[in-house]
């Protein structure tokens, strides 16, 4: 079997072939393959034996305009020990045909075409249970993975204790045409992060208080996901709930590099929320209620109160008065109602019926 990885066998003529026609990964690759990267001033080397299997759950719903760059970015990964499952959540825009094309060109990839739209959380879980990788990427197929994304994050995990369940990183935000708009983390001229302020280690109070993780950049330990029972399928979106529940018992780590391009476009989930009768607001409220049961210390309850107050004001601003009223009631349970909250609560008591 010939080798197609020039990092191991640079003389191989097959490197110039299109991806679908390259020969399979040869054993000579496994014998000489390594990941090298700077981590704390040291070079990290992974042997074939120690290289864990990484699962990419590529989740698609009407991503046809962005699907090819996303799937090509999987094939461009420098880390070879990958398991890929393509999950289509009953797209209506021709995405399924593109997914079939890529699955046919990559026989090791699994393809799951769901007959009905299940929503992000249920669809992801359907893909997850069909895989076995030690680490998992939840990959929305309107985003793009940079070539060394998996290799660098696996190398980071290899240097961390088993108590770490998530490695996340910086991202480039791109527009519909793929042009870079800015980075997730805003920095000063020396490259130091200004905002949002990241956190590593035990971050439960941090994820309650504020948003700082770029969801598409996460590499998750499968044991973490399994301990949680996967994503909560009663929710309209997954990340806030995952952060809260995972950070209660697992540590998080920031790999301070750009590993992913996150696409911003009108159809993206992150552009919706807080409108009246919006399912994402209802999910946020439910997660805050779950978080209250997980709080163990006064500082954690205070952090949650800050989040609830912020969410309440956002809901009121967008005239989601019933949702804002629920959040006001949660502030009462937290015994964190301030004078300004009382004034807003008085208005919400009436407006929630409209």
């Amino acid at each position: 079997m010939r080798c197609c990885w020039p990092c191991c066998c640079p003389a191989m003529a097959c490197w110039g072939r299109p991806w679908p026609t390259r020969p399979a990964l040869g054993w000579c690759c496994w014998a000489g393959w390594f990941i090298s990267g700077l981590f704390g001033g040291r070079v990290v080397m992974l042997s074939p034996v120690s290289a864990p299997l990484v699962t990419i759950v590529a989740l698609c719903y009407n991503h046809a305009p962005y699907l090819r760059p996303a799937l090509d970015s999987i094939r461009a990964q420098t880390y070879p020990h990958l398991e890929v499952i393509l999950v289509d959540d009953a797209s209506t825009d021709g995405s399924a045909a593109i997914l079939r094309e890529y699955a046919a060109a990559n026989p090791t990839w699994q393809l799951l075409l769901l007959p009905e739209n299940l929503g992000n959380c249920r669809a992801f879980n359907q893909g997850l249970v069909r895989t076995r990788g030690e680490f998992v990427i939840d990959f929305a197929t309107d985003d793009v993975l940079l070539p060394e994304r998996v290799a660098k994050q696996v190398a980071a995990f290899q240097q961390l204790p088993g108590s770490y369940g998530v490695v996340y990183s910086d991202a480039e935000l791109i527009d519909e045409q793929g042009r870079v708009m800015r980075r997730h983390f805003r920095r000063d001229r020396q490259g130091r992060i200004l905002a949002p302020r990241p956190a590593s280690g035990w971050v439960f109070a941090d994820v309650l208080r504020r948003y700082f993780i770029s969801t598409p950049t996460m590499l998750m330990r499968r044991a973490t996901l399994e301990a949680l029972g996967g994503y909560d399928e009663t929710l309209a979106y997954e990340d806030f709930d995952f952060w809260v529940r995972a950070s209660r018992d697992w540590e998080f780590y920031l790999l301070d590099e750009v590993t992913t391009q996150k696409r911003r476009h009108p159809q993206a989930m992150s552009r919706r929320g807080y409108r009246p009768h919006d399912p994402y607001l209802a999910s946020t409220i439910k997660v805050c209620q779950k978080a209250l049961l997980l709080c163990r210390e006064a500082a954690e309850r205070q952090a949650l109160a800050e989040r609830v107050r912020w969410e309440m004001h956002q809901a009121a601003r967008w005239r989601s008065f019933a949702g804002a009223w629920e959040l006001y009631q949660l502030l009462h349970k937290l015994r964190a109602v301030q004078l300004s909250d009382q004034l807003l609560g008085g208005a919400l008591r009436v407006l929630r019926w409209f």
Side-chain angles (χ1 to χ4, degrees):
M1 182 181 293
R2 292 193 300 165
C3 170
C4 67
W5 293 90
C7 59
C8 303
C9 305
M12 293 306 297
C14 63
W15 178 248
R17 296 188 192 177
W19 271 100
T21 62
R22 292 185 194 172
L25 182 65
W27 288 109
C28 58
C29 290
W30 286 108
W33 177 76
F34 65 89
I35 295 175
S36 62
L38 293 178
F39 188 91
R42 292 168 291 160
V43 174
V44 176
M45 307 288 287
L46 296 181
S47 70
V49 175
S50 65
L53 181 65
V54 175
T55 294
I56 299 178
V57 180
L59 185 56
C60 176
Y61 178 65
N62 288 344
H63 288 163
Y66 319 110
L67 198 46
R68 293 182 185 279
L71 299 182
D72 287 341
S73 77
I74 297 176
R75 299 195 299 193
Q77 290 302 298
T78 61
Y79 188 86
H81 204 190
L82 295 176
E83 173 189 48
V84 179
I85 181 167
L86 309 177
V87 181
D88 184 72
D89 195 15
S91 294
T92 59
D93 67 344
S95 292
I98 300 173
L99 293 171
R100 288 192 186 96
E101 173 191 333
Y102 274 75
N106 299 273
T108 62
W109 291 13
Q110 300 181 60
L111 176 62
L112 176 61
L113 302 177
L114 297 172
E116 60 179 331
N117 183 262
L118 301 182
N120 192 64
C121 296
R122 290 179 64 194
F124 173 83
N125 285 347
Q126 288 289 312
L128 182 66
V129 298
R130 290 168 167 79
T131 62
R132 57 188 177 86
E134 181 180 346
F135 299 104
V136 180
I137 292 175
D138 176 359
F139 179 46
T141 53
D142 52 351
D143 296 329
V144 176
L145 307 175
L146 298 187
E148 295 185 352
R149 154 76 184 268
V150 178
K152 288 181 176 181
Q153 290 190 320
V154 169
F157 254 123
Q158 293 279 316
Q159 300 300 306
L160 295 168
S163 59
Y164 279 81
V166 176
V167 168
Y168 69 99
S169 61
D170 201 356
E172 291 177 336
L173 305 185
I174 59 174
D175 63 15
E176 294 178 270
Q177 287 71 45
R179 296 173 298 212
V180 176
M181 302 162 63
R182 62 175 178 86
R183 289 188 178 183
H184 172 73
F185 290 114
R186 300 182 186 273
R187 301 170 183 264
D188 62 18
R189 293 183 178 179
Q190 287 71 45
R192 293 171 298 200
I193 296 175
L194 298 175
R197 190 175 76 257
S200 289
W202 297 106
V203 300
F204 180 71
D206 297 283
V207 299
L208 291 182
R209 179 176 287 111
R210 56 196 172 80
Y211 166 73
F212 60 93
I213 297 172
S214 178
T215 303
T217 71
M218 293 193 302
L219 179 64
M220 300 171 282
R221 193 183 294 275
R222 175 177 291 272
T224 303
L225 281 164
E226 290 181 345
L228 302 178
Y231 290 159
D232 182 343
E233 296 185 0
T234 68
L235 302 176
Y237 72 101
E238 78 291 343
D239 48 15
F240 183 29
D241 180 69
F242 172 80
W243 299 334
V244 170
R245 294 193 293 141
S247 64
R248 179 72 284 174
D249 297 312
W250 299 83
E251 293 185 83
F252 285 40
Y253 179 78
L254 169 67
L255 175 65
D256 191 9
E257 297 191 38
V258 174
T259 64
T260 307
Q261 292 183 322
K262 176 181 179 180
R263 195 176 303 274
R264 301 294 298 270
H265 56 88
Q267 290 75 39
M269 286 188 188
S270 58
R271 300 293 293 269
R272 305 196 295 268
Y274 301 109
R275 271 57 173 188
H277 313 296
D278 182 79
Y280 298 95
L281 175 58
S283 292
T284 298
I285 294 170
K286 183 173 181 178
V287 175
C288 289
Q289 292 167 340
K290 291 164 67 174
L292 176 57
L293 300 177
L294 295 174
C295 290
R296 299 171 184 167
E297 302 173 0
E300 294 170 351
R301 293 171 64 91
Q302 180 181 351
L304 178 58
E306 292 180 27
R307 165 65 71 117
V308 170
R309 182 174 293 109
W310 187 85
E311 298 287 353
M312 178 182 68
H313 281 273
Q314 289 293 108
R317 174 189 174 194
W318 291 102
R319 305 180 67 83
S320 292
F321 299 128
W325 174 252
E326 284 191 71
L327 291 161
Y328 177 71
Q329 291 178 308
L330 186 54
L331 272 183
H332 266 286
K333 290 183 180 179
L334 285 162
R335 299 184 179 182
V337 175
Q338 300 174 353
L339 178 59
S340 59
D341 302 326
Q342 291 177 349
L343 296 174
L344 178 56
L348 292 173
R349 188 183 300 275
V350 176
L351 292 171
R352 63 193 170 113
W353 301 110
F354 295 93

